[in-house]
Amino acid sequence: MGVGVIITFAHRTSVILGVASLAAFVLYLTPMPELYHANCERPCHELDWPMICRVKLSLESHQLLGSWCADCHQNVSDCDIKDCLTADGIPRYTLSANRQLPGPAIQVCENDILVVDVTNRIAGQGVAIHWRGQPQKETPYMDGVAMVTQCPIPAHTTFQYKFRASQAGTHLWQIHTGNGQIDALFGPLIVRQADRREVHRKLYDVDDPNHIVVISEWPIPDKTETTTAGSAALLINGRAQNKMELDSEDPHYKHASTRFNVTGGKRHRMRVIYAGSQIGCPVSVQVENHQLQVIAMDGHPISPQVVQSLILAPGERIDFVLKADQTEFLSYWLKAETRPSCHRQSSSYALIDYMFRPSKEPSSLSHLNEETATPQTKVLSTVTEDECSKSDHICLPKIKSMIKLPTDLAVEKMDLTLYLPFDFVTVPSHTDFPDPLLKPRINNITFMFPSSPLLSQAADLQESNSLCSNTKRPKYCMDEAGACQCVHVIDIPLNSRVELLLIDRGGDDLTDEHVFHLHGGSFYVVGSKQGLADNSMETIRKLNVEGGLLEKNLKDPVIKDTVPVPPGGIAVLRFKADNPGYWLLHDQKAAHWSQGLDVILHVGNSNDLPSVPENFPRCGNWVGPEYFLI
């Protein structure tokens, strides 16, 4: 019996030593992180330590086609000089980040630590930067919403953001102020995964860091005025190009285009970001003679869909695979165009250039063509249109995620159901203009930002009479039932299961849907349908409880952080409130959310939050001492 014990002990010891040796070997081969890395763009491996990535962003005014562009109008090579911004080719001043338009792309690996020094050189304007797509689960103070998570960054000062890039995918960093011009400052935030963690890795051969398509609106100035006329062009990676210029024999136009190089016979992952801006029309994207295999939305993988074009709303991101399967090694246009429903039509083009012939025989190309026969689904769209009823369209309710809905969210009844009807109410104008004003509301409340950041200076607001909810309003609102303006906060218990219904009650003149973005995490879009908001709220609640409101996907709904709400319709979202903090839910268009189409979801309580960072900036009201004149 003693011998058996000795043998068992020896066996266990050998197993432990073997595991320890294996761990030591893995650690030996795994590079340790250095203090900082100026550039973290690299292939991602699951055994690598996260890097600490140091980035510096300088926000300032910059002149388009300025003196640093030399002779760009005549000499095409001068257009690519460092600091030369072209946009639509009209010389004027604009705002830029590191003298780039759009701002520099930040490309890291999953779970890298980002340390970003933001220097604000915009005179007289405070700013904050929001990192769209990143939940900030460990660092709610770094979400970048002025007067909610931090004080605005004053002019000529620097604020340092520190957070973990925990959510992989195609994302966006952007200024968050409510000023349409300043909110046009943005750039890509790409968080890559190790190949073994990437669900769709087998579907593409190349993930080129240069294959990022950033679409944005660009205000067109009135020729007779110094201000904009309210119209906008589309830019692709900071440049505008129309079809006439693209077809021109003039080499200047060809050179000035945004270009993406591909290798014939290879499958290339393309990352599309629609930053939007002041007008916020949906856009369609297509590539001449090519099909698009859509694989991800807002950084989350979806069941692949091969289509001829895709339609997305401002703030959304879509990844697709482009098969370079053309036997003619030429240049093919990539087109971005506002939808016909938008009252301002605009389009812009870029070029897809075939640079190299494949190493395989030409027969391999015809095999690729056989694989990519004309798809039955021609259009993938996140916005609601009449065409969504057609068999060759797939719209948001029918798009499926590769990740199943968690079982605790797949039941009929959630812990908390929030009904958020939003509309626009007419209020008298108190200015010299006689026309009444349209004021946005959520649950009959127009949101206003607090005098101190809710997250970092909550104690300063304890005695404030500006905080409100749907059931508790300040006294000054009693006489203004149609236009109550206060800091609208909804308390949500930590770890509760939440169903949230966004209900478009109308009142504005938009024909396109409103688009809402949630900070602090993603949600499952379990349902979306047009034309339901005409029902009374009592009817909507009853139908939702009884299951007759709309068809819900409780199996594999798409995961997003930005969702279009159908005009006059309802979007139903579900999520688990496991991220404590104050998280803004707002309309995507700056002109709307800055006027009050917002609400704050307060998850958990003060005991659930991490400590306020040391020496974190403070701001708020100040009243000086009383002075007695003698």
Side-chain angles (χ1 to χ4, degrees), residues 620-628:
N621 292 321
W622 181 82
V623 178
E626 294 185 19
Y627 288 91
F628 296 91

Side-chain angles (χ1 to χ4, degrees), residues 454 457-467 472 582 606:
L454 283 165
Q457 296 177 232
D460 295 352
L461 297 166
Q462 293 299 323
E463 303 301 324
S464 172
N465 66 348
S466 62
L467 296 176
K472 181 181 178 181
Y582 290 87
S606 58

